[in-house]
Amino acid sequence: MTKNAIKAAERHLLNSHDLGREEIDKVLRKILRHDVDQADLYFQYARSEGWSLEEGIVKSGSFDIEEGVGVRAVAGEKTAFAYSDDISLAALDDAARATRAIAAAGEKRRVEVAPAKSPKRLYRGDDPIASLDAAAKVRLLERLEKFARAADSRVTQVMAYLAGSWEVVLVARGDGHLAADVRPLVRVSLAVIMEANGRREQGSAGGGGRYDYSYFTDERLRDFALAAVHQASVNMEAVAAPAGTMTVVLGPGWPGILLHEAIGHGLEGDFNRKGSSAFSGRLGERVAAPGVTVIDDGSIPDRRGSLTIDDEGNPGERTVLIENGILATYMQDTLNARLMGMLPTGNGRRESYAHLPLPRMTNTFMLNGERDPFEIIQSVDRGLYAVNFGGGQVDITSGKFVFSTSEAYLIENGKISRPVKGATLIGNGPDALTRVGMIGNDMALDPGIGTCGKDGQSVPVGVGQPTLRLDGLTVGGTA
């Protein structure tokens, strides 16, 4: 990967602007003459597009190109950062002068740098935007709409969306490490409106990953359409959800978003260094029920949240966060890892060259247990089976969360019974981990739809889990 990616990055980001490695090294040396712990340059070229179709008509289309460079210097806990959408030696020199101001507040120290690891290629670098012409992209959305309408005559409205992007990034660090990545990303999503007998309900679905548009075969588009229509049809029959404390069974795959939000953010290094996470200072302690193992893995081929290198030039890694219920480590970028005396874990991520890197999740999921999912359902006399989720809110410090379900059912006498709507799950992330009573053997990752927000930055992520039984969770309902 690295040689081809570096050549592509140099071609798009350096050579086209009359820059080379010699000029980059000079800029870094200017910053490092001062008392800074680390310095880096982050170059990015990105183009993206989006197409939306409603009622068989293309309602909007967008295309965007951006490029630029971010220059960072770090001393102690303090960071100086400047960025420019002008990639030139003059702009780099100006940004370097601005970042050197941090040196006055820095501590004089010699920082030990871990040896750079060689990344593995996780996805092809093909440009999805160039993989289909405009007419073919519209036809793709038309087929998606056709599949949805053919699935159920009650479908009255279909909204379909296609998005693709292609990024080239180059990271040059003060320790001499140079790394690059070429990142494709595609996603399809659709929402359907279903109406009958004066009732109106919605369903949605979608997926994608680090591919070009050839990923969206007719079979895959039909699966997305059927999933959205199924969700809407279930909600057409749903009754008001009950409220109270009960056993909750979470389905596999996308319900891992609850794990991501309620627990994952609390395991990011910056929150724990500052002592603002419910997991701060608890390394080596039991924080979850036996059998619970939580992984963040940025090295899964072709997944939406995967990264050949993170945005600091470190390879994407598989990091065991919780092992058999014991808190093993945190997700780290370079700055927080250094200040905590730990190693980076390939989780330094930024939305673009105009943003600072933060410790962020990639693909976060719980590993399989040994129970058959049907056995888990059969173990519940009265409870809720949550198959899909909509929005939610989480407080990182306390771990408290509220999540709304978009597809859920009652469990009565060990069987899935009536669908319900309006159910919300209310709890505390660390507490919920201790309430895991049974873990299924059907772990699945989401179809490739996740986007995570933090400090105003959005990045693509993945989530996943097997079927889980949570005992004694609070359910808010409408009944």
Side-chain angles (χ1 to χ4, degrees), residues 171-195:
V171 182
R173 300 197 315 221
D175 62 1
H177 183 58
L178 188 72
D181 199 8
V182 179
R183 301 170 178 167
L185 190 66
V186 296
R187 175 178 169 173
V188 150
S189 58
L190 80 157
V192 302
I193 303 295
M194 187 176 288
E195 296 184 50

Side-chain angles (χ1 to χ4, degrees), residues 42 44-45 47 123-128 165-169 171 180-185 210-211 306-314 348-351:
Y42 179 83
Q44 179 190 35
Y45 171 88
R47 55 177 180 257
Y123 32 79
R124 293 171 59 91
D126 299 338
D127 180 1
S165 66
W166 188 73
E167 278 185 272
V168 182
V169 300
V171 182
D181 199 8
V182 179
R183 301 170 178 167
L185 190 66
R210 295 200 178 277
Y211 309 94
S306 294
L307 296 168
T308 298
I309 60 166
D310 72 1
D311 295 324
E312 297 182 304
N314 297 309
R349 306 190 65 185
R350 59 178 108 197
E351 181 177 315

Side-chain angles (χ1 to χ4, degrees), residues 463-474:
V463 301
Q465 66 173 45
T467 297
L468 295 178
R469 193 188 82 187
L470 300 176
D471 298 325
L473 206 61
T474 300

